[in-house]
Amino acid sequence: MEPEKKSTEGQVMGIIGIVLGIISLIVAFIPCVGVVALLPGVLAIVFSIISIVQASRGYGARGLGIASLIISILAVLLAAIWLIVFSGATIFANEALKDSGKFERFGKEFKEAFEQEMGDDFNSEAIGDSLEKALRDLELELDELDNEKENIDKEKRDAEAARKTGEAAAKALKKAADGVRAAKTKTDSIPEE
Amino acid sequence: MEGISIAAMDSKEQGYHLVNISFILLIVAIFCYSLVFRGNNHPIPAIFTEITGEIPPSKGLSESFSEIVRGNLADAARINPHGLRIFAFFAFQLLLRVFFSLSVRLRPDRILSLAIADSLCSLTLFLWCFAPLISYTLRLFSSIIG
């Protein structure tokens, strides 16, 4: 009985196809670079098809070509979905940029309504300065807390730090509120012309 | 006739070794890339995060690999908790390529069963090591399609 004759037609293309197919399948499952799998995946499909055609014509084994074709089609499908995801996100971002005028108008209307509610002589600069000062004081207090923390037990330290952070935050907010009241009082005391 | 069969078997063995050598070279290239680059100077950008603003489970993977090859496993786990697992896939694949190539070299008559065992081992390893990425990808895709 003669042994089965199998030529090596299509094997080289099949090897290239399966290597590229496996690489693109692995890359397709990595979110950051999934879309990159499209190029090697498409190449893998091409090489797989060539492998199958060569094997069919030259009485070679088609198994390798078929396996690489399945793997590369799966990889290309995943990469194509990544492309759709990125395209959709890019289109959304572009639409948001086109509508950026809406955000500007919204901001302007918000500011006007806010100032009207606060009072006609609303002094935003004074309030801004007062908030900045309050934040600087809060930063200094938090730095002091960091230094103190090292000398206290871990449990007591955490509780103490939380309590002091709360106190510092309350002080900062109180200062900011005092600043707002002072600014409003100052503008109220200016006589009308 | 017998000559053709032996030639075919040798070429199958050669083909199998070629595939293994290709993957060995690729894995070594990945390790070399991780050794060359470190910290924020990796050339591969986090495209997904830049475009969508979301942080996928693969963010910081390159940086994590760089720390692993330098022996800083704690830092690697802090940068990306899945880094060690995914790195293990490539490390084990390197060993498996060498192991199966040697096995086929020693027992070329069992190339088919060894290739099947190789495929099953690799697939299992891939599914286990890449599970966080696979589940994230499939969940994201099903939310888009669904």
Side-chain angles (χ1 to χ4, degrees):
Chain A
M1 194 183 229
E2 289 180 356
E4 195 181 322
K5 290 182 218 177
K6 282 280 183 190
S7 75
T8 60
E9 287 295 319
Q11 195 172 15
V12 173
M13 290 292 149
I15 290 168
I16 298 171
I18 202 161
V19 169
L20 281 175
I22 289 172
I23 291 169
S24 57
L25 187 63
I26 291 173
V27 171
F29 276 111
I30 302 175
C32 290
V33 294
V35 71
V36 168
L38 199 58
L39 180 60
V42 168
L43 287 173
I45 288 174
V46 170
F47 285 122
S48 307
I49 292 170
I50 294 172
S51 165
I52 293 168
V53 167
Q54 284 179 343
S56 301
R57 285 184 187 163
Y59 303 102
R62 290 181 300 171
L64 191 61
I66 292 169
S68 65
L69 185 64
I70 293 168
I71 292 169
S72 45
I73 286 173
L74 188 59
V76 164
L77 278 172
L78 289 171
I81 297 177
W82 278 121
L83 191 62
I84 292 167
V85 168
F86 286 145
S87 302
T90 311
I91 288 169
F92 178 76
N94 285 339
E95 289 296 318
L97 281 173
K98 276 185 203 166
D99 283 341
S100 63
K102 280 189 191 172
F103 289 112
E104 277 177 28
R105 283 196 297 278
F106 171 75
K108 196 178 165 195
E109 283 173 30
F110 175 83
K111 192 184 169 212
E112 281 172 5
F114 184 77
E115 284 175 2
Q116 202 168 0
E117 190 60 34
M118 288 296 288
D120 290 335
D121 299 310
F122 172 69
N123 190 343
S124 59
E125 205 179 305
I127 290 172
D129 289 343
S130 139
L131 279 170
E132 220 179 287
K133 188 177 178 307
L135 279 169
R136 273 202 299 272
D137 291 341
L138 177 62
E139 255 183 60
L140 285 167
E141 299 233 9
L142 287 172
D143 285 340
E144 276 172 35
L145 279 173
D146 280 339
N147 293 334
E148 278 183 34
K149 260 168 78 170
E150 289 173 6
N151 301 328
I152 303 172
D153 272 351
K154 191 183 183 309
E155 276 185 27
K156 286 184 190 173
R157 187 187 356 178
D158 291 343
E160 187 71 21
R163 190 178 65 77
K164 289 192 179 180
T165 306
E167 274 178 9
K171 277 184 199 169
L173 282 170
K174 204 177 161 193
K175 277 184 190 170
D178 287 344
V180 170
R181 268 197 289 277
K184 197 162 187 332
T185 309
K186 199 172 174 182
T187 53
D188 284 348
S189 68
I190 295 168
E192 286 182 19
E193 286 180 16
Chain B
M1 310 304 175
E2 205 175 314
I4 292 171
S5 294
I6 289 171
M9 194 184 284
D10 284 343
S11 71
K12 271 190 196 169
E13 196 185 329
Q14 281 173 13
Y16 186 77
H17 290 313
L18 270 173
V19 171
N20 281 342
I21 288 167
S22 304
F23 283 123
I24 287 171
L25 289 173
L26 180 67
I27 292 168
V28 168
I30 291 169
F31 291 166
C32 289
Y33 167 85
S34 300
L35 269 172
V36 166
F37 297 101
R38 196 180 185 182
N40 288 329
N41 64 349
H42 283 91
I44 300 174
I47 305 168
F48 186 77
T49 303
E50 281 174 21
I51 292 178
T52 66
E54 252 195 62
I55 298 177
S58 59
K59 181 138 189 334
L61 204 57
S62 303
E63 219 178 310
S64 181
F65 273 30
S66 295
E67 295 305 320
I68 293 170
V69 296
R70 286 169 175 80
N72 304 327
L73 300 184
D75 285 341
R78 181 184 48 82
I79 293 166
N80 187 314
H82 311 296
L84 283 166
R85 206 163 162 181
I86 294 170
F87 187 89
F89 170 77
F90 292 106
F92 278 118
Q93 273 300 319
L94 193 61
L95 296 172
L96 284 174
R97 295 307 104 226
V98 173
F99 171 74
F100 278 107
S101 270
L102 285 173
S103 303
V104 165
R105 194 79 186 99
L106 292 170
R107 295 295 301 270
D109 54 316
R110 305 197 69 175
I111 186 169
L112 187 59
S113 50
L114 283 168
I116 291 170
D118 181 6
S119 303
L120 287 172
C121 283
S122 297
L123 183 63
T124 308
L125 197 62
F126 173 70
L127 289 173
W128 185 77
C129 293
F130 277 74
L133 268 60
I134 293 170
S135 66
Y136 180 87
T137 301
L138 293 176
R139 265 188 284 121
L140 181 67
F141 289 176
S142 62
S143 70
I144 291 165
I145 295 167

